[in-house]
Every structure is written in structure tokens, then in C-alpha cells.
Amino acid sequence: MGYRVAVVGATGNVGREMLNILEELEFPVDKIHAIASRKSIGVEVSFGDQRVACEDIEQFDFSTVDIVLMSVSGSFSKTWSPKIGAAGPIVIDNSSAFRMDPDVPLIVPEVNPDDVSYAGKKNIIANPNCSTAQLVVALKPLHDRAKIKRVVVATYQSVSGAGKEGMDELWDQTKGVFVLGPGEPKKFPKQIAFNVIPFIGSFNEDGYTDEEAKMWNETHKMIDPSIALTVTCVRVPVMVGHSEAVNIEFHEPLDEDEARDILREAPGLIVVDKRDDKGYITPKEVQGEFPVFVSRIRKDPTIENGLNLWVVADNLRKGAALNAVQIAQLLHERGLIKTRAAA
């Protein structure tokens, strides 16, 4: 028996990737609906070998579906996710709207799968920030072994994290540099081609950005609120794939060899860590891949019980669409999706 599934925001980068991954992972879909705004009515998207025409969210009856994957803005989700959840289906929301809501579980299946048990409070489950998702997959098994005291993270986030407009701007500016100049930035505050921008999101009063705050708040909710975590988020001229330089201080001793073994055995992780000039992973190599990759595992001799890691993942997959579908799989495995027929 399959489920009736709706993907809201089906024409965006992440929405299309959700459709691809539902098919790749053979999630039991009986009927698929592509939902978008009125301007996209009739636009066709792919689901396996099918072409699915987009339907208007304003006219769609969500009581007829079992599960909804949301890939929309936070403000849009705040309006629609509670309405959809009240109609019956479980909503898996990729926006930031409900991540810190105490009645909404924030889930990475490799990290805190049991939190899915309280999804029925609002019929909403939150997907974490793309950079947080890959970080916590790497941190959780190490925390279970040696308890993390403090983490310092610098991110190297691709332009796809800013959507199609971000990808288009990098492409257009890169071409323009060699012709008439890169042109004025529109999506990003400064030129992104051949540059890096140490600013993502908007500034908070403490000088950190909301993107940086998301990472420590979400890590605290999913793993342990006692972990001290500080972040600098940086946009880099890479199309797809987020990277992170991660410095960890533990309460207990943990040498690099044991850490490497723990990470190799952990779910959702692949270790690529040889000490030669090609023995590490880059964002180019992870495009289209499901796992989180870890390289450059080494002791930090400047602190007691310290390690450094390099963590990379496809942000459109594990950072967004894949994690959402894995949550759906988790719900399916635990029998937590109430089908409309059963209802």
C-alpha cells in the first residue's frame, strides 16, 4: 500500500529534488501531487517517468493526502503548515518557521529519530538548516562517545543554498568577468564570482547572523543544549555542496584514530581521510550523493581533548530534500502515517 503525497513548492530546486529522491528511494507513493503558487499552475515537473502538472495551493484539498513535503519560505510555511496539519496529513517542513517550536520535532533521522514520536502534536515536523543537518550527523556519534564541550565552525556554503537566483547570479557574474565585467549583485550583497562573502542571512544585535544562530540553536535542540557552539557562515562561489571546518573540544579523551573508526561506523557518514594530496573530499565530488562526508580528521594540539574535521555534503540532498524524505521513511517504518483511507 502506498501513500498519497503532496510536494508544496514543487517547482523550486529543493521541491524538484524531493520528487527525485522520493522516486530514487522508492518511497511507497500511491499518488503524487505537485503543489505550487497560482502562477505555476500547469507547469510540469518530473516524478520518475511521469510528468506531473502543478496544482494551485489555494484550491487543493489537503485532507485527501497522507503526507506533505514543504519547500517554501518561512513566512509562507507559517501560514500554510498549520492549516495543512489541521486537515490531517503530517507536514515535513523545510523552512525555519517551526524549527524551534517546542511542540514541533526537529529531526535528522541519524541523530534523534525517537523525537518523531511527538509529531502528532501539530502534525508538523521540521527539517533543520542545511548546514546544521550535515554538522549534527558528524557530531552525534562523537558526542555519544566522549561528550562534546565546545565546537567552533566555519562554513563554506554554496550558492544553491540561496536558490535558483543565487545559482544564476554566480553563473552570470562568472561569465561577465571575462566579457564586460560581472555586473551589480542582486541576490547577494556583494559580488560572489571569484569572491567569498562572510555574511549569510541578516544581522542580529550581537553581531552574529540569523544563519549562524540557527546552527547553534538547532544543534542544541537535537543533540545537547550544554554544547558551546560558535559559528561563522560564509558564502562561496560553489554551485552545490556545503563544506564546514569543524573544531571540537571534548570532555573526555578521544584520539583521532578512534574518532575515525567511530565515524566510519556511524549511519549516514562516509570517511575519506588519507594523508596525501587527494585523500580528502570536496563539494564538487559530493554533488548528487546522499551521505555526509568527513575528511582531515586530526588532533588539535592547542587544547586538551581537541579534534579538527572537514565535513561536506550536498546541501540540496542531505541538507534539505533527502533529509525530508528520510523523515517520511522514518514515519513509514514506525507506522506513524495515518492514511486517508484508514482515517
Side-chain angles (χ1 to χ4, degrees), residues 14-157:
V14 174
R16 290 175 187 270
E17 200 69 9
M18 286 174 170
L19 290 163
N20 291 337
I21 293 171
L22 283 166
E23 195 272 334
E24 284 182 51
L25 294 183
E26 298 181 344
F27 185 77
V29 176
D30 204 26
K31 173 71 174 175
I32 193 78
H33 296 274
I35 312 296
S37 61
R38 186 161 297 169
K39 66 181 181 181
S40 297
I41 295 175
V43 172
E44 290 190 340
V45 294
S46 296
F47 178 67
D49 57 3
Q50 302 177 43
R51 298 293 295 172
V52 182
C54 286
E55 301 173 70
D56 180 11
I57 189 169
E58 298 279 354
Q59 303 298 321
F60 189 76
D61 181 2
F62 285 98
S63 70
T64 64
V65 296
D66 308 313
I67 190 164
V68 176
L69 307 183
M70 296 280 285
S71 178
V72 296
S73 69
S75 59
F76 195 94
S77 180
K78 281 182 180 179
T79 299
W80 278 97
S81 289
K83 292 180 183 179
I84 296 170
I90 292 182
V91 178
I92 301 173
D93 179 33
N94 193 53
S95 83
S96 61
F98 296 95
R99 289 174 186 160
M100 301 313 297
D101 186 322
D103 291 328
V104 173
L106 177 68
I107 302 287
V108 172
E110 298 93 337
V111 174
N112 60 333
D114 291 343
D115 286 356
V116 78
S117 62
Y118 68 95
K121 286 189 174 182
K122 289 188 174 180
N123 268 6
I124 301 172
I125 299 174
N127 223 21
N129 178 273
C130 48
S131 295
T132 308
Q134 66 189 69
L135 176 67
V136 296
V137 171
L139 292 184
K140 182 60 164 59
L142 300 177
H143 183 67
D144 288 345
R145 163 59 183 82
K147 196 174 182 184
I148 294 170
K149 179 179 181 181
R150 181 172 185 260
V151 185
V152 181
V153 182
T155 72
Y156 304 75
Q157 294 177 231

Side-chain angles (χ1 to χ4, degrees), residues 3-4 18 46 48 52 55 101 107 119 179-180 183 186-187 256 305 338:
Y3 300 106
R4 282 167 280 192
M18 286 174 170
S46 296
V52 182
E55 301 173 70
D101 186 322
I107 302 287
V179 187
L180 299 174
K186 297 177 182 177
K187 182 63 179 179
E256 61 188 54
N305 304 329
K338 295 179 181 178

Side-chain angles (χ1 to χ4, degrees), residues 281-295:
I281 205 75
T282 69
K284 178 66 176 176
E285 296 158 289
V286 308
Q287 290 182 25
E289 298 290 338
F290 284 172
V292 174
F293 293 80
V294 181
S295 300

Side-chain angles (χ1 to χ4, degrees), residues 186-300:
K186 297 177 182 177
K187 182 63 179 179
F188 301 113
K190 297 192 178 187
Q191 178 182 319
I192 186 60
F194 302 95
N195 197 16
V196 298
I197 303 173
F199 171 81
I200 301 176
S202 59
F203 275 117
N204 296 329
E205 290 184 1
D206 59 4
Y208 287 88
T209 67
D210 58 353
E211 182 82 1
E212 292 158 350
K214 288 173 190 176
M215 290 188 66
W216 64 66
N217 287 332
E218 294 169 18
T219 300
H220 289 160
K221 183 172 180 177
M222 287 186 285
I223 296 183
D224 188 337
S226 70
I227 295 172
L229 198 156
T230 186
V231 186
T232 301
C233 287
V234 183
R235 188 75 70 191
V236 297
V238 171
M239 281 293 184
V240 176
H242 287 358
S243 306
E244 296 168 349
V246 183
N247 176 266
I248 311 171
E249 182 180 4
F250 297 92
H251 285 280
E252 302 169 22
L254 178 64
D255 66 38
E256 61 188 54
D257 291 330
E258 185 180 359
R260 196 175 288 111
D261 289 341
I262 289 169
L263 293 169
R264 283 196 179 109
E265 296 299 318
L269 280 171
I270 291 180
V271 173
V272 179
D273 190 25
K274 295 181 180 179
R275 295 189 173 169
D276 60 51
D277 61 358
K278 294 183 180 179
Y280 50 85
I281 205 75
T282 69
K284 178 66 176 176
E285 296 158 289
V286 308
Q287 290 182 25
E289 298 290 338
F290 284 172
V292 174
F293 293 80
V294 181
S295 300
R296 302 294 316 282
I297 303 166
R298 62 207 187 278
K299 179 178 174 60
D300 177 0

